Amino acid sequence: MRHANRQAPRIAAALSAIVLFSSTMQAVAHEYWLDPVGTRWVAGEELQADIRNGQEFLGTALPFDPTAFARAGLISETHRQGLDGRLGDYPAIRLSLQDAGLSLLLLETTRRELRYDDFKAFETFLDYHGLQDIAERHAARGLPRQNIVEHYYRYCKSLIDVEPTAITSTDAPLTQDASRVAPALSPQNQRLELIADSNPMQADTLRLQLQFEGKALAGRQIELFFRDSADAITRTIAVTDASGNVEFATEAAGDYLANSVKVVEPADTAAHWETHWASLTFHKNENP
C-alpha cells in the first residue's frame, strides 16, 4: 500500500498508460493487484486505491477503464458498493468507507488476450508459476511453438481494516456472533479465488484456501510477496494441500501480496490456453 502524497497524472498521461499497458502485456504476463493508498483507513473517509500490474510486487498504477472490469466494488459489514468512475481517473478506485471493521475491495477483469512470440517465453512464465505440466500438455495437444495465444482473466482482492470515527456513539455496542464469518472473509464466487480464513492483519499467520469454480484446488503453487518499510521485497512459495490450503508466516509489518495462477484448456478455439489469476493484498501495521 502506498502513501497518499502522490500527484495525480493528467488524463492524457492516463490514456497513454492504457496503451502502454496493452502493448506491454503482449510481451510478458505479470501479477495484477489492488493497492490501497495509505496504511490506515477511517470510517466515513474516502478509500483510494490503485490497480497495479507488474512483477514481484513492483508495478505500474493503471487508470480507471470501465471496459476492463467485469465486477468491482467494496464489501463491508453492512454495505456492498459498486465501483464507478471516469475513464482515466487516478487513482482508479475511489469509494466511501461506510463501516468500521474488516472490508474487502474486489475487482474482476474482462477477458484479455496475450501472445507469446515463442515457446521459450511461454515456458518461462510456466516455470515461474509452477506450471511445468502445461508445457507437457502443450506438446501433447500438438500446439504451435510460436505465436501462442492466451486469454486471461484477473480476480483481485484487498483486505482493509477500517478504524471507527473519532465520534463516540452513546448507543450500546452490538453483540456479534464469534462463529459468524465476516462478509469480507466470505467466498465471493470468483472463478479462481484466494480466501483468507481470518483477518491477517490481526494474526502472525496467513491461512489461505485456493478455490477454482467453488472447489478446493490441491497441488497449486501460491506465491507470497512481502515488502518491508525499506521497500525490500521477498518472495515465498507454498503448494496447496489436498484441501486447497496453505499457510504463510506474516509476523512482520509491511505489505503482502498473495498470487496464484490456474491454466485451463479454453472452450474458445481462438486461444490455445486460458489463464486465471487470483491475488490478495493487505497491509500490516506495527503493533501500537
Coordinates of all heavy atoms in Angstrom, one line a residue, residues 21 24-25 28-33 51-62 128-129 154 225 257 259 277:
F21 N 0.2 -0.2 -21.2 CA -0.2 -1.5 -20.5 C -0.5 -2.5 -21.5 O -0.1 -3.7 -21.5 CB -1.3 -1.2 -19.6 CG -2.0 -2.4 -19.1 CD1 -1.3 -3.3 -18.3 CD2 -3.3 -2.7 -19.3 CE1 -1.9 -4.5 -17.8 CE2 -4.0 -3.8 -18.8 CZ -3.2 -4.7 -18.1
T24 N 2.6 -3.7 -23.4 CA 3.5 -4.4 -22.5 C 3.0 -5.8 -22.3 O 3.7 -6.8 -22.3 CB 3.6 -3.7 -21.1 OG1 4.1 -2.4 -21.3 CG2 4.5 -4.5 -20.2
M25 N 1.7 -6.0 -22.2 CA 1.1 -7.3 -21.9 C 1.3 -8.2 -23.1 O 1.1 -9.4 -23.0 CB -0.4 -7.2 -21.5 CG -0.6 -6.7 -20.1 SD 0.3 -7.6 -18.9 CE -0.6 -9.2 -19.1
V28 N 4.8 -10.0 -22.0 CA 5.0 -10.9 -20.8 C 3.9 -10.7 -19.9 O 3.3 -9.7 -19.8 CB 6.4 -10.6 -20.1 CG1 6.4 -9.2 -19.5 CG2 6.7 -11.6 -19.0
A29 N 3.5 -11.8 -19.2 CA 2.4 -11.8 -18.2 C 2.9 -11.4 -16.9 O 4.0 -11.8 -16.5 CB 1.7 -13.1 -18.2
H30 N 2.2 -10.6 -16.1 CA 2.6 -10.2 -14.8 C 1.5 -10.4 -13.8 O 0.4 -10.6 -14.1 CB 3.0 -8.7 -14.9 CG 4.2 -8.4 -15.7 ND1 5.4 -8.9 -15.5 CD2 4.3 -7.5 -16.7 CE1 6.3 -8.4 -16.3 NE2 5.6 -7.6 -17.1
E31 N 1.9 -10.1 -12.5 CA 0.9 -10.0 -11.5 C 0.0 -8.8 -11.6 O 0.4 -7.8 -12.2 CB 1.5 -10.0 -10.1 CG 2.1 -11.4 -9.7 CD 3.5 -11.6 -10.3 OE1 4.3 -10.7 -10.3 OE2 3.8 -12.7 -10.8
Y32 N -1.2 -8.8 -11.0 CA -2.1 -7.7 -11.1 C -2.8 -7.7 -9.8 O -3.4 -8.7 -9.3 CB -3.1 -8.1 -12.3 CG -4.1 -7.1 -12.7 CD1 -3.9 -6.3 -13.8 CD2 -5.4 -7.1 -12.1 CE1 -4.9 -5.4 -14.2 CE2 -6.4 -6.2 -12.5 CZ -6.1 -5.3 -13.6 OH -7.1 -4.5 -14.0
W33 N -2.8 -6.5 -9.1 CA -3.3 -6.5 -7.8 C -3.8 -5.1 -7.4 O -3.6 -4.1 -8.1 CB -2.2 -6.8 -6.8 CG -1.0 -5.9 -6.7 CD1 -0.9 -4.9 -5.8 CD2 0.2 -5.8 -7.5 NE1 0.3 -4.2 -5.9 CE2 1.0 -4.8 -7.0 CE3 0.6 -6.6 -8.6 CZ2 2.2 -4.4 -7.6 CZ3 1.8 -6.2 -9.2 CH2 2.6 -5.2 -8.7
I51 N -4.9 0.2 -9.1 CA -4.8 -1.1 -9.7 C -3.5 -1.2 -10.3 O -3.1 -0.4 -11.2 CB -5.9 -1.3 -10.8 CG1 -7.3 -1.0 -10.2 CG2 -5.9 -2.6 -11.4 CD1 -8.4 -0.8 -11.2
R52 N -2.7 -2.2 -9.9 CA -1.3 -2.3 -10.4 C -1.1 -3.5 -11.2 O -1.6 -4.6 -10.9 CB -0.3 -2.2 -9.2 CG -0.3 -0.8 -8.5 CD 0.8 -0.7 -7.6 NE 0.8 0.6 -7.0 CZ 1.4 1.7 -7.5 NH1 2.1 1.6 -8.6 NH2 1.4 2.9 -6.9
N53 N -0.2 -3.4 -12.2 CA 0.2 -4.5 -13.0 C 1.8 -4.5 -13.0 O 2.4 -3.4 -13.3 CB -0.3 -4.4 -14.4 CG 0.2 -5.5 -15.3 OD1 0.9 -5.2 -16.3 ND2 -0.1 -6.7 -15.0
G54 N 2.4 -5.6 -12.7 CA 3.9 -5.6 -12.6 C 4.4 -7.0 -12.3 O 3.8 -8.0 -12.6
Q55 N 5.6 -7.0 -11.7 CA 6.2 -8.2 -11.4 C 6.9 -8.2 -10.1 O 7.6 -7.2 -9.8 CB 7.2 -8.6 -12.5 CG 7.8 -10.0 -12.5 CD 8.5 -10.3 -13.8 OE1 8.9 -9.5 -14.6 NE2 8.6 -11.6 -14.1
E56 N 6.8 -9.2 -9.3 CA 7.4 -9.3 -8.0 C 7.1 -8.1 -7.1 O 8.0 -7.5 -6.5 CB 8.9 -9.6 -8.1 CG 9.1 -10.9 -8.8 CD 10.6 -11.5 -8.7 OE1 11.4 -10.7 -8.3 OE2 10.8 -12.6 -9.0
F57 N 5.8 -7.7 -7.1 CA 5.3 -6.6 -6.2 C 5.8 -5.2 -6.6 O 5.8 -4.3 -5.8 CB 5.7 -6.9 -4.8 CG 4.5 -6.6 -3.8 CD1 4.7 -6.8 -2.5 CD2 3.4 -6.0 -4.2 CE1 3.7 -6.5 -1.5 CE2 2.4 -5.6 -3.3 CZ 2.5 -5.9 -2.0
L58 N 6.3 -5.1 -7.8 CA 6.7 -3.8 -8.4 C 5.9 -3.6 -9.6 O 5.9 -4.5 -10.5 CB 8.2 -3.6 -8.7 CG 9.1 -3.7 -7.5 CD1 10.6 -3.8 -8.0 CD2 8.9 -2.6 -6.5
G59 N 5.1 -2.5 -9.8 CA 4.3 -2.3 -10.9 C 3.8 -1.0 -11.2 O 3.8 -0.1 -10.3
T60 N 3.2 -0.8 -12.3 CA 2.6 0.5 -12.8 C 1.2 0.6 -12.3 O 0.4 -0.4 -12.4 CB 2.7 0.5 -14.3 OG1 4.0 0.4 -14.7 CG2 2.1 1.8 -14.8
A61 N 0.8 1.8 -11.8 CA -0.6 2.0 -11.5 C -1.4 2.3 -12.8 O -1.0 3.2 -13.6 CB -0.7 3.2 -10.5
L62 N -2.5 1.7 -12.9 CA -3.3 1.8 -14.1 C -4.5 2.8 -13.9 O -5.0 2.8 -12.8 CB -3.9 0.4 -14.6 CG -2.8 -0.6 -14.8 CD1 -3.5 -2.0 -15.1 CD2 -1.9 -0.3 -15.9
Y128 N 7.9 -20.1 -13.7 CA 7.9 -19.2 -12.6 C 6.7 -19.5 -11.7 O 6.8 -19.3 -10.5 CB 7.8 -17.8 -13.2 CG 7.8 -16.7 -12.1 CD1 9.1 -16.2 -11.6 CD2 6.7 -16.1 -11.6 CE1 9.1 -15.3 -10.6 CE2 6.7 -15.1 -10.6 CZ 8.0 -14.7 -10.2 OH 8.0 -13.7 -9.2
H129 N 5.6 -19.9 -12.3 CA 4.3 -20.2 -11.5 C 4.1 -21.6 -11.2 O 3.0 -22.0 -10.9 CB 3.1 -19.5 -12.2 CG 3.2 -18.0 -12.3 ND1 3.0 -17.2 -11.2 CD2 3.5 -17.2 -13.3 CE1 3.2 -16.0 -11.6 NE2 3.4 -15.9 -12.8
R154 N -8.5 -11.8 -14.5 CA -7.9 -11.5 -13.2 C -9.0 -11.4 -12.1 O -10.1 -10.9 -12.4 CB -7.2 -10.1 -13.2 CG -6.3 -9.9 -14.4 CD -5.0 -10.7 -14.3 NE -3.9 -10.1 -15.1 CZ -2.7 -10.4 -15.0 NH1 -2.2 -11.1 -14.1 NH2 -1.8 -9.8 -15.9
F225 N 4.4 -12.4 -1.7 CA 5.4 -11.3 -1.8 C 5.2 -10.5 -0.5 O 4.1 -10.2 -0.1 CB 5.2 -10.5 -3.0 CG 5.4 -11.2 -4.3 CD1 4.3 -11.8 -5.0 CD2 6.6 -11.4 -4.9 CE1 4.4 -12.5 -6.1 CE2 6.8 -12.1 -6.1 CZ 5.6 -12.6 -6.7
L257 N 1.3 -9.5 -0.7 CA 0.6 -9.9 -1.9 C 0.7 -11.4 -2.1 O 1.8 -11.9 -2.3 CB 1.2 -9.1 -3.1 CG 0.8 -9.7 -4.5 CD1 -0.6 -9.6 -4.8 CD2 1.6 -9.0 -5.6
N259 N -0.5 -14.5 -4.6 CA -0.8 -14.6 -6.0 C -0.8 -16.1 -6.4 O 0.0 -16.9 -6.0 CB 0.2 -13.9 -6.9 CG -0.1 -13.9 -8.3 OD1 -0.9 -13.2 -8.8 ND2 0.6 -14.8 -9.1
W277 N -6.0 -15.7 -12.9 CA -5.1 -15.2 -11.9 C -5.8 -14.7 -10.7 O -6.8 -13.9 -10.8 CB -4.3 -14.0 -12.5 CG -3.4 -14.2 -13.7 CD1 -3.9 -14.6 -14.9 CD2 -2.0 -14.2 -13.7 NE1 -2.8 -14.7 -15.7 CE2 -1.6 -14.5 -15.0 CE3 -1.0 -13.8 -12.8 CZ2 -0.3 -14.5 -15.5 CZ3 0.3 -13.8 -13.2 CH2 0.6 -14.2 -14.5

